[in-house]
Amino acid sequence: MVIKYLGTAAAEGMPAIFCRCALCEKARAQGGKNIRTRNQILIDGDTLIDFPMDSYMHALTYGIDLSAIENVFITHAHMDHCYPQDVTMRGAPFAHNMTRPVINFYGNEKVINKFIEHTRDELKPAAKESIRLHTLKPYDVVETGGMKVTALPARHTVGEDCLLYSIEKQGKTALIMNDTGVLDESVYDYLEKCGTRFDFVSFDCTYGSGGGQMKRHMGLLDNIAERERMKAHALVHEKTVYVITHFSHNSSLMHDELAALAEKNGMTAAYDGMETDI
Ligand SMILES: [Zn+2]
Ligand SMILES: [Zn+2]
Ligand SMILES: [Zn+2]
């Protein structure tokens, strides 16, 4: 399974869209891995986790054929993960000779309602025919494209069933944890009962080196504690790869600082364009 990080910032981007704080100015000046776009992950070239407004830029930067994407699993309705307006361009007269006739979007009830609401004025019949919307609840399982995807409950926004995704394909299993605070014990109990063993874990690390706030996002200290909980439930093994992502300028850390901190703790700090083959 090839996991490619297309965007690794929190909602405001890095440098943040309207911000002139010291870190954002430094990131603008240094560029490179300090430039982070909004959260998105590509799996094996045909599956996306999340669809932010930067999807178009990701396609341009990494040469991705967006018409070839078969499945998009959306974690929650925040705009840095769910930007349905661009989907109105998927069909004539805006798109011709598309690689796949149909794209599937999976998400919770709020995500699906956002798709309907935000495309209502501009969705032409051809685009409407090419889009399939699927509502997911926590613990729903989808088998598609050679993958088994399990939706798990995140801890993020009150009043919305925010989701995490466990993705199994060809004997490998990846857990994508965005956006979320620390998980409820019942999630780990469920996974242990299923006999799940993750080869790859991607953590929400919005708070950078910090932690302890736990309810909506995590920092590295929380990620380390979550890894211990996963070990206690036998959900990981010695070779499991741990990656941290979804960074905020408010964490006050440049990429090289985050990378050094992560490495010291047996993890890897993601950057836009980072690819891992598990
Ligand atoms: Zn987010
Ligand atoms: Zn800033
Ligand atoms: Zn969010």
Side-chain angles (χ1 to χ4, degrees), residues 80-81 179 246:
D80 56 320
H81 301 261
D179 292 357
H246 197 274

Side-chain angles (χ1 to χ4, degrees), residues 210-230:
Q213 298 176 56
M214 304 188 305
K215 283 189 179 163
R216 286 172 51 79
H217 290 291
M218 289 187 277
L220 186 60
L221 297 178
D222 304 314
N223 301 154
I224 293 165
E226 289 300 279
R227 180 173 58 190
E228 290 310 307
R229 292 176 74 199
M230 289 179 189

Side-chain angles (χ1 to χ4, degrees), residues 235-270:
L235 300 178
V236 290
H237 54 77
E238 276 179 9
K239 290 186 175 162
T240 300
V241 174
Y242 302 92
V243 176
I244 58 175
T245 188
H246 197 274
F247 302 114
S248 162
H249 62 144
N250 290 328
S251 74
S252 304
L253 292 170
M254 297 287 279
H255 177 75
D256 54 354
E257 296 165 321
L258 273 168
L261 260 178
E263 200 186 331
K264 216 166 83 184
N265 289 285
M267 300 192 190
T268 301

Side-chain angles (χ1 to χ4, degrees), residues 72 74 84 87 102-108 111-117 119 123 128 130-136:
V72 184
I74 293 184
V87 174
V102 164
I103 188 168
N104 296 284
F105 287 93
Y106 299 85
N108 64 36
V111 164
I112 301 303
N113 286 339
K114 187 172 177 182
F115 263 79
I116 294 165
E117 262 176 51
T119 60
L123 193 63
K128 194 173 184 180
S130 83
I131 297 158
R132 302 281 182 278
L133 301 176
H134 309 268
T135 308
L136 292 182

Side-chain angles (χ1 to χ4, degrees), residues 16-230:
I17 180 165
F18 293 112
C19 187
R20 299 202 60 215
C21 77
L23 190 85
C24 288
E25 292 295 276
K26 208 167 152 188
R28 281 189 186 95
Q30 288 193 18
K33 291 174 184 170
N34 296 299
I35 304 298
R36 300 183 185 278
T37 58
R38 268 61 74 86
N39 197 83
Q40 192 171 38
I41 291 175
L42 177 68
I43 295 175
D44 286 342
D46 61 6
T47 300
L48 287 171
I49 308 295
D50 287 329
F51 197 81
M53 67 293 286
D54 293 333
S55 302
Y56 173 56
M57 184 192 163
H58 295 160
L60 294 178
T61 305
Y62 303 110
I64 299 163
D65 172 8
L66 281 181
S67 83
I69 300 293
E70 187 176 1
N71 295 302
V72 184
F73 291 89
I74 293 184
T75 55
H76 63 298
H78 283 158
M79 56 84 171
D80 56 320
H81 301 261
C82 180
Y83 182 75
Q85 286 92 327
D86 265 344
V87 174
T88 60
M89 300 293 108
R90 200 188 190 282
F94 308 112
H96 306 282
N97 306 326
M98 292 190 296
T99 304
R100 282 183 195 271
V102 164
I103 188 168
N104 296 284
F105 287 93
Y106 299 85
N108 64 36
E109 198 182 346
K110 189 162 182 180
V111 164
I112 301 303
N113 286 339
K114 187 172 177 182
F115 263 79
I116 294 165
E117 262 176 51
H118 290 208
T119 60
R120 187 175 285 134
D121 293 342
E122 293 167 287
L123 193 63
K124 294 200 183 312
K128 194 173 184 180
E129 273 171 29
S130 83
I131 297 158
R132 302 281 182 278
L133 301 176
H134 309 268
T135 308
L136 292 182
K137 294 188 300 300
Y139 299 109
D140 279 352
V141 175
V142 177
E143 300 213 27
T144 179
M147 295 177 302
K148 182 179 168 195
V149 180
T150 306
L152 298 166
R155 190 179 187 197
H156 188 49
T157 307
V158 176
E160 179 181 357
D161 280 333
C162 299
L163 298 174
L164 313 172
Y165 292 107
S166 163
I167 299 161
E168 294 176 57
K169 189 176 178 184
Q170 292 166 343
K172 297 288 183 181
T173 307
L175 175 62
I176 308 297
M177 298 175 79
N178 273 104
D179 292 357
T180 188
V182 301
L183 299 193
D184 194 87
E185 191 67 14
S186 59
V187 183
Y188 290 127
D189 289 340
Y190 168 85
L191 291 167
E192 187 175 3
K193 221 177 277 173
C194 292
T196 307
R197 195 67 48 103
F198 295 115
D199 303 288
F200 183 94
V201 177
S202 179
F203 282 120
D204 178 320
C205 193
T206 308
Y207 302 139
S209 60
Q213 298 176 56
M214 304 188 305
K215 283 189 179 163
R216 286 172 51 79
H217 290 291
M218 289 187 277
L220 186 60
L221 297 178
D222 304 314
N223 301 154
I224 293 165
E226 289 300 279
R227 180 173 58 190
E228 290 310 307
R229 292 176 74 199
M230 289 179 189

